């Protein structure tokens, strides 16, 4: 077993309190996408995206999670749809993703209680059912690397106050 931790894919965006990197690229929408950008290449991608892609290809992984703020929910693929419509978008391993998401959310009191959006089901949601995006890392990991990745939205605020971090730690431990 190996555990890899990437503290931040977007350190300059974090320092600037925005989702875009210093070159105004939204890294959460910069990966190849099976619906509208189906060529798995680093060409034309932000340097951070290219590094994550190269790192991912160099390691055999079967399970991963990426952490975000802005909601409290375990989000699973697909994040996009062929038409871009926000509707449930079932991937081939949908039941496995639901199980992974449910396992995490059921152990996180705030997430389990989260039904802030109609697409949330006691702290879990299909990404595209919440809102459709293209170029997300979890879909890229699944499509091109066969890696089951979920996105864990662990705080309502994008930039939670330092004094709230112990609560987030306890909920997500």
């Amino acid at each position: 077993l190996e555990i890899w931790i990437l503290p931040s894919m977007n350190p300059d965006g974090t320092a600037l309190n925005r989702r875009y990197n210093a070159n105004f690229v939204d890294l959460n929408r910069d990966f190849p996408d099976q619906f509208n950008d189906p060529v798995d290449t680093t060409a034309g991608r932000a340097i951070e995206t290219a590094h994550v892609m190269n790192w991912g290809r160099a390691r055999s992984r079967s399970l991963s999670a990426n952490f975000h703020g802005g909601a409290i929910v375990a989000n699973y693929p697909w994040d996009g749809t062929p038409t871009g419509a926000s509707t449930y978008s079932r991937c081939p391993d949908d039941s496995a993703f639901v199980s992974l998401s449910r396992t995490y959310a059921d152990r996180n009191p705030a997430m389990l209680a989260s039904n802030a959006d109609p697409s949330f089901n006691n702290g879990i949601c299909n990404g595209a059912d919440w809102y459709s995006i293209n170029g997300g890392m979890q879909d890229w990991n699944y499509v091109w690397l066969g890696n089951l990745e979920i996105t864990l939205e662990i705080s309502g605020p994008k930039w939670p106050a330092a004094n709230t971090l112990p609560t987030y730690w306890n909920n997500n431990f």
Side-chain angles (χ1 to χ4, degrees):
L1 172 69
E2 292 181 346
I3 297 175
W4 295 86
I5 298 172
L6 174 63
S8 177
M9 187 170 101
N10 189 5
D12 47 345
T14 299
L16 296 167
N17 287 342
R18 66 181 191 207
R19 67 179 304 129
Y20 303 95
N21 70 3
N23 295 316
F24 296 96
V25 175
D26 183 348
L27 302 178
N28 293 317
R29 312 289 188 275
D30 194 40
F31 286 84
D33 182 83
Q34 73 273 19
F35 298 121
N36 74 345
D37 183 14
V39 180
D40 186 27
T41 179
T42 59
R45 314 258 175 230
I47 189 70
E48 299 93 336
T49 308
H51 283 311
V52 168
M53 290 173 68
N54 289 332
W55 179 88
R57 288 186 190 116
R59 285 151 187 87
S60 175
R61 296 169 298 129
S62 56
L63 182 64
S64 62
N66 69 74
F67 293 84
H68 289 227
I72 300 177
V73 69
N75 168 347
Y76 55 91
W78 294 131
D79 271 338
T81 63
T83 64
S86 290
T87 187
Y88 200 104
S89 188
R90 186 176 311 277
C91 73
D93 291 304
D94 190 74
S95 61
F97 280 111
V98 168
S99 179
L100 285 168
S101 299
R102 181 85 280 137
T103 297
Y104 193 93
D106 286 351
R107 288 159 180 79
N108 180 318
M111 196 172 283
L112 181 60
S114 178
N115 286 305
D117 185 276
S119 63
F120 293 7
N121 176 11
N122 296 321
I124 72 169
C125 74
N126 172 263
D129 196 30
W130 181 17
Y131 63 93
S132 184
I133 69 160
N134 296 108
M137 185 168 68
Q138 75 180 7
D139 284 8
W140 173 78
N141 264 296
Y142 181 56
V143 170
W144 279 279
L145 302 183
N147 175 39
L148 303 182
E149 178 168 294
I150 61 174
T151 299
L152 299 168
E153 299 275 353
I154 62 170
S155 66
K158 280 278 189 194
W159 313 104
N163 68 345
T164 65
L165 295 180
T167 300
Y168 292 116
W169 171 259
N170 289 332
N171 284 342
N172 291 281
F173 180 73

